[in-house]
Amino acid sequence: MKPRSRPTLVRRLVSGLATLVVLAVVVVANRPMVAAGAEALHTYQINRQSYKEKFGHWARLPVPHGFRVNAIHAALLHTGKVLIVAGSGNNRDAFEEKSFRTVIYDPATDEFTEVETPTDVFCAGHTFLPDGNLLIAGGTKSYEVLEEDVEHAAGVMKIKNESPDGGPREFRKGTRLLSASGQAYLTRTKVTVPAAAKMTHGGTVMVHAGEAEVWVDAERTGDAPVVRQPAQYTLDGLTGADARNLYGVSDKITHEKQEYGGDKTSYEFDPVTEKYVRTGDLRDHRWYPTLIGLTGGDVLAVSGLDEFGRILPGRNERYLPDEKRWVAAPELKRYFPTYPGLHLMADGKVFYSGSNAGYGSDTEGRTPGVWDVKRNKFREVPGLRDPKMTETSSSVLLPPAQDQKVMLLGGGGIGESEESTRRTGIVDLDEKKPAYRPGPDLPRPARYLSTVLLPDDSVLTTGGSSGYRGGMYRGTPRSDLFNAQIYRPAQNAFVTAAESTVGRNYHSEAILLPDGRVITMGGDPLYDRSGTNAGTFEQRIEVFSPPYLFQGERPRITAGPAQVARGATARITTPDAGRIASARLVKPSSVTHVTDTDQRSVALTLNRTAGGVDVTVPGKPGLVPSGWYMLFLVNDSGVPSVAHWVRVR
């Protein structure tokens, strides 16, 4: 047979160029076909077993239309179900219609159910109680009003009562107060003013006026009713002694923006009955507060905006679970911006990472530090790079919790700044003088980044955006980040994970499920893709399967105790005892605005026995707070079991 001749280099180059020209023509003429082909190739690649073993896999969760809500808060209940709380969902129409929503998702059956939501718990605070109930406190009493929408000048009025006689005085909504110049202002709600109190000082009886605050709106539009100096007002219609004893005082009445007003309702959500159970009210109205459980079982509520949209000046309070009521905690006065990132330490102190959601002073309360809540002493922690970029950052107690290391990730400038940072910082709280040290940079500048502890002692970081609320960042109208990465503390490095397909920014959450997957939801962009129209809240839900779920058979837990005491040893039966390398207690997440005071992973000492393993729980309540945990066994290939639920007492 005559051998075939090989084309010369010139002929091959000409042929290749001709092919490229033909392909270029095909691309231009058939853009949809090319895009479809690229999509098909991408789908093929990400579904290969070898790809999933290395990078993991994302899948959309089919959510029935009637159960699509604006996920503002999310928590994993000890029933294994996910509580998704919208409240009014950052939707003024829903707020005015009192349409408040809560949905429960069951990962075991993929079923959704609706839960009656009594008040607007939008932007409340929450944390788990030792019995597994979720304490939810605060929320929204009123929506913001932008300056351009303020037609009637408004402000906060103090109604004072200098009479100790006659008891409290109630004034209806619309009560008129008159200025010295005759301008009239109407109360926005009814208000009850307590009587004055008689007090004795050095033998002299003194009267301290009772007072109550209320919003007032000018009766007339325009600038004439604007007041920028403190002034006194008379209550229309009062005569005689009442006219002398009852009056209004206000510092200013303006057309300025009116912030969201906090609510003071408080509930325990019962995972078994799946109902909100009303408790005693908060002492203060709170919007954007942080709740954190303390070693004795009490819960501390800090920060938030009050009912008039003013940040609380360091006035904190405690919840007493046995009594279902809140009490003032003047001994723990400390100012924080809203939604501060707080983490309970092994010794019972509280670490403030510096992460926050933004409302508050641009200087006060933003420095990280260790807070001794027994003596109300605060020791600042230095060393954080980009210290002015902690707003909308994330922080997490790294696994295992025994290492007492906290990592802060990303963040942005104060307010509606377009700037963000790739910076991470890690602090070892066991050091004599803790200080942040640089961690590995994120692949891209990120704010609103979700962080999820995985059973193999790694941390999934996903979602977020580079710009404020997913908006403009360095010329790009939408800045959502689809890249995900896994931080490995042992190597102090990130490894690349599969990319998500749904953008997550402000008002988004990510939670570890009992089967080892991660559910992600929410996202509230300021603008759409064009950067000109208002954004739409993201109601799609995605689930990420980490690489360990594609790396061989999973170990099984066949039996274990329903509860265990701190310091005690428990027997976990498993047919895979010979390959079990570690055991972890992972506290279920309760997250909003990338703030999660519950999330932690505790290492258990492990002894293999015939047919099972014996695990010992650490004895420190600051390391292992009382409550429900997911117990995972992890084999020598890094593959975790499905979790066994256990209550630590």
Side-chain angles (χ1 to χ4, degrees):
M1 185 171 106
K2 186 176 179 180
R4 295 181 181 174
S5 62
R6 300 181 64 189
T8 65
L9 178 61
V10 172
R11 288 179 61 194
R12 279 184 284 158
L13 287 174
V14 171
S15 175
L17 287 171
T19 301
L20 288 174
V21 170
V22 171
L23 285 175
V25 172
V26 170
V27 168
V28 172
N30 299 279
R31 287 182 188 273
M33 183 177 71
V34 172
E39 181 64 28
L41 177 60
H42 176 70
T43 300
Y44 166 75
Q45 289 175 333
I46 64 174
N47 285 287
R48 287 180 301 152
Q49 179 66 19
S50 59
Y51 182 94
K52 292 187 284 189
E53 288 174 5
K54 186 174 182 180
F55 302 109
H57 186 261
W58 290 89
R60 298 269 182 90
L61 184 68
V63 182
H65 182 77
F67 296 98
R68 297 173 190 172
V69 298
N70 296 354
I72 306 295
H73 313 265
L76 177 65
L77 308 174
H78 70 264
T79 57
K81 299 179 182 180
V82 179
L83 182 73
I84 306 171
V85 180
S88 60
N90 203 17
N91 183 313
R92 182 186 295 276
D93 291 339
F95 174 78
E96 293 176 352
E97 294 166 4
K98 299 189 183 302
S99 176
F100 311 135
R101 300 196 65 189
T102 299
V103 164
I104 290 181
Y105 166 63
D106 187 350
T109 62
D110 274 347
E111 292 180 344
F112 290 81
T113 54
E114 182 95 19
V115 173
E116 183 179 350
T117 310
T119 57
D120 194 7
V121 287
F122 166 60
C123 291
H126 38 79
T127 189
F128 281 110
L129 296 171
D131 64 0
N133 285 358
L134 183 69
L135 178 65
I136 305 176
T140 304
K141 183 176 181 180
S142 60
Y143 261 62
E144 70 177 358
V145 182
L146 300 178
E147 186 171 348
E148 57 266 29
D149 297 326
V150 177
E151 296 181 359
H152 295 257
V156 178
M157 183 81 72
K158 284 184 180 178
I159 311 294
K160 289 182 172 283
N161 183 2
E162 292 191 352
S163 173
D165 306 316
R169 300 292 298 270
E170 184 174 294
F171 297 94
R172 62 178 177 79
K173 174 183 176 181
T175 295
R176 298 175 85 238
L177 291 109
L178 304 175
S179 70
S181 63
Q183 293 291 341
Y185 304 89
L186 309 178
T187 57
R188 194 175 290 182
T189 60
K190 72 176 182 179
V191 58
T192 301
V193 187
K198 289 183 179 179
M199 304 183 72
T200 302
H201 295 283
T204 302
V205 177
M206 303 182 67
V207 175
H208 291 263
E211 65 178 40
E213 292 183 309
V214 64
W215 270 111
V216 297
D217 298 283
E219 193 171 52
R220 294 170 52 197
T221 59
D223 293 332
V226 169
V227 180
R228 298 190 181 277
Q229 301 294 330
Q232 187 166 314
Y233 302 80
T234 59
L235 281 142
D236 192 23
L238 295 185
T239 59
D242 278 351
R244 293 191 300 272
N245 291 327
L246 291 152
Y247 55 91
V249 175
S250 183
D251 289 336
K252 63 178 183 177
I253 299 174
T254 69
H255 287 104
E256 294 174 2
K257 176 187 176 184
Q258 299 165 21
E259 297 289 358
Y260 284 91
D263 196 12
K264 65 190 306 182
T265 53
S266 173
Y267 303 90
E268 288 187 20
F269 186 85
D270 186 331
V272 177
T273 64
E274 298 183 349
K275 292 182 178 180
Y276 288 90
V277 180
R278 186 72 179 264
T279 72
D281 285 349
L282 286 160
R283 305 278 297 190
D284 279 296
H285 295 74
R286 295 183 188 269
W287 189 80
Y288 267 48
T290 289
L291 273 55
I292 183 170
L294 303 177
T295 53
D298 292 356
V299 171
L300 184 63
V302 306
S303 194
L305 303 187
D306 71 6
E307 61 185 308
F308 304 110
R310 304 169 303 196
I311 189 161
L312 290 162
R315 203 163 54 235
N316 305 318
E317 55 189 293
R318 283 178 182 263
Y319 181 71
L320 309 180
D322 292 341
E323 302 176 31
K324 310 291 186 192
R325 68 185 182 97
W326 291 91
V327 295
E331 74 281 5
L332 289 176
K333 184 176 177 63
R334 175 147 294 278
Y335 176 93
F336 294 100
T338 54
Y339 280 136
L342 303 180
H343 304 275
L344 182 65
M345 296 169 56
D347 60 5
K349 296 174 184 173
V350 172
F351 176 63
Y352 168 48
S353 67
S355 292
N356 64 87
Y359 288 87
S361 167
D362 58 359
T363 55
E364 186 182 0
R366 293 181 180 263
T367 303
V370 174
W371 187 16
D372 184 339
V373 291
K374 290 184 178 179
R375 299 185 300 158
N376 198 28
K377 300 291 184 182
F378 190 85
R379 182 175 63 178
E380 294 186 354
V381 169
L384 184 65
R385 292 183 294 159
D386 294 344
K388 295 184 178 180
M389 304 279 273
T390 56
E391 196 163 296
T392 65
S393 64
S394 309
S395 62
V396 63
L397 180 63
L398 290 173
Q402 282 90 335
D403 288 350
Q404 290 292 278
K405 292 181 179 179
V406 169
M407 186 176 194
L408 182 143
L409 305 95
I414 293 171
E416 299 182 9
S417 166
E418 294 180 6
E419 291 305 305
S420 55
T421 178
R422 298 172 56 197
R423 170 268 286 120
T424 73
I426 300 171
V427 57
D428 185 342
L429 298 171
D430 276 339
E431 291 182 345
K432 200 166 190 179
K433 294 183 178 180
Y436 270 108
R437 291 179 173 81
D441 282 351
L442 294 163
R444 298 178 188 175
R447 50 203 304 171
Y448 318 107
L449 192 68
S450 288
T451 57
V452 180
L453 301 181
L454 302 179
D456 65 349
D457 282 355
S458 62
V459 183
L460 173 70
T461 64
T462 180
S465 62
S466 293
Y468 173 74
R469 286 187 62 180
M472 185 68 69
Y473 182 72
R474 297 185 180 177
T476 302
R478 276 294 295 272
S479 57
D480 289 336
L481 302 173
F482 298 92
N483 59 291
Q485 45 281 326
I486 295 173
Y487 175 71
R488 301 196 182 281
Q491 291 78 42
N492 190 30
F494 288 105
V495 296
T496 301
E499 290 193 349
S500 61
T501 65
V502 178
R504 308 285 182 198
N505 44 69
Y506 183 52
H507 287 150
S508 62
E509 303 83 30
I511 285 179
L512 177 69
L513 298 175
D515 61 10
R517 297 179 300 159
V518 174
I519 186 170
T520 65
M521 62 203 92
D524 194 0
L526 194 59
Y527 299 111
D528 66 3
R529 290 284 169 197
S530 70
T532 55
N533 301 314
T536 301
F537 202 107
E538 182 56 74
Q539 295 183 334
R540 291 175 294 176
I541 295 177
E542 269 192 308
V543 178
F544 177 66
S545 298
Y548 53 55
L549 293 180
F550 304 98
Q551 294 174 357
E553 189 174 351
R554 306 182 69 170
R556 291 181 297 134
I557 295 176
T558 53
Q563 62 182 29
V564 62
R566 275 189 298 270
T569 298
R571 181 72 186 278
I572 309 298
T573 61
T574 172
D576 309 296
R579 291 195 58 193
I580 299 303
S582 63
R584 295 291 183 265
L585 282 179
V586 180
K587 206 164 189 297
S589 281
S590 169
V591 60
T592 184
H593 296 73
V594 298
T595 303
D596 186 348
T597 62
D598 285 305
Q599 188 176 210
R600 65 179 53 218
S601 176
V602 181
L604 306 181
T605 56
L606 177 74
N607 290 305
R608 301 182 192 87
T609 62
V613 294
D614 291 334
V615 296
T616 302
V617 180
K620 290 183 177 180
L623 187 62
V624 195
S626 298
W628 285 89
Y629 289 79
M630 293 180 284
L631 191 153
F632 289 94
L633 297 181
V634 183
N635 69 18
D636 51 13
S637 296
V639 180
S641 66
V642 172
H644 169 77
W645 285 97
V646 59
R647 183 178 177 184
V648 175
R649 292 182 177 270

